[in-house]
Amino acid sequence: MKIVVVGGTGRIGSQVVSLLQDRGHEAVAAAPSTGVDTLTGEGLAEVLKGADVVVDVANSPSFEKEAALDFFTRAMRHLTAAEREAGVRHHVALSIIGVDEVPELGYYLAKVAQEEAVRASGVPFSIVRVGQFFEFVAPVMDLTTQGQEVHLPSTQLRPIAAADVAAVVAETAQGEPVNGLRLKAGPEIHRLDRLAEITLAAKPDGRSVVTDENAGMFAGIPDGVLTGDDTVDTAATRYEDWLKRN
Ligand SMILES: NC(=O)c1ccc[n+]([C@@H]2O[C@H](COP(=O)([O-])OP(=O)(O)OC[C@H]3O[C@@H](n4cnc5c(N)ncnc54)[C@H](OP(=O)(O)O)[C@@H]3O)[C@@H](O)[C@H]2O)c1
């Protein structure tokens, strides 16, 4: 199959392209750095010629509410129009577990707008919602570091390795559209402050963790929202095992 991976040069996208190529597919990375820009539509018609499937794992360069909303809204308008024109038969989108239950997070509102555009596009689709990436923990810690203290709330997450995300996205792209959600997260539910403690125990850097229920973007999110329920499929990689290798 010809599978176009929008955002195919990014953290998830580059791994999805490799996995699909290993399975014998013609997987093509589409991104500004390869001459395809979903914000302007540049290069879309050409790259989608003959495409069976589009995987969209692009991301907004800014996580700020208005910028992210503008990114996903404009990108989806161009992308879905080009997909209809090209006769694409499956659109795979990557989203976040609980994304529609946290209206106070501007970036999540933008992802909900992206999901709505997928559903309204007329192109058969699968939306893969996953937990926060393991790779996201260290940057989240840095954002709320004050001196030698990492301030984070006890909000529950069910994080997942980016490699496990790429695997479920690639598998979904090779299957039939579900015209709904597919949910995947890591094997363990962690409190965010404890995740930071586990991280610093594995990689001490002089900082310590202070539980602060008002700190950072995940503050005040009720338990269960970002972890999902028992309909979530479990990925294999544990955070502590991943930390040893990364
Ligand atoms: N972080 C999390 O915990 C988490 C959890 C669940 C889901 N997600 C979702 O996972 C997805 C992928 O994230 P990631 O970390 O892999 O992203 P990333 O590494 O930042 O990669 C972003 C990709 O988007 C491309 N891109 C940027 N602007 C574009 C445009 N105008 N047109 C086409 N492509 C464009 C980039 O291309 P260039 O290389 O050319 O710049 C790059 O390939 C995102 O949609 C995010 O919402 C994230």
Side-chain angles (χ1 to χ4, degrees), residues 57-151:
V57 284
N59 207 0
S60 166
S62 166
F63 287 74
E64 189 270 322
K65 177 180 168 181
E66 294 306 329
L69 250 178
D70 178 62
F71 177 88
F72 285 115
T73 309
R74 273 205 283 157
M76 287 310 297
R77 202 163 50 234
H78 288 127
L79 186 55
T80 55
E83 287 180 19
R84 284 191 296 268
E85 185 66 32
V88 168
R89 56 165 198 80
H90 188 185
H91 176 103
V92 179
L94 180 58
S95 190
I96 305 164
I97 290 173
V99 70
D100 50 348
E101 296 176 62
V102 197
E104 63 274 23
L105 275 185
Y107 177 76
Y108 282 25
L109 278 181
K111 292 291 291 181
V112 170
Q114 179 193 22
E115 287 194 1
E116 283 169 358
V118 170
R119 292 176 194 278
S121 69
V123 178
F125 66 93
S126 305
I127 296 172
V128 182
R129 284 189 181 176
V130 300
Q132 279 65 39
F133 303 162
F134 288 170
E135 288 78 355
F136 201 48
V137 175
V140 163
M141 290 168 61
D142 293 343
L143 279 175
T144 54
T145 293
Q146 301 171 17
Q148 291 293 89
E149 293 179 345
V150 185
H151 287 246

Side-chain angles (χ1 to χ4, degrees), residues 134 159 161 164 186-188 190 235-245:
F134 288 170
D164 286 341
E188 298 165 326
H190 290 280
T237 314
R238 293 175 64 248
Y239 186 59
E240 282 172 281
D241 296 335
W242 177 87
L243 269 180
K244 286 180 196 145
R245 301 194 302 267

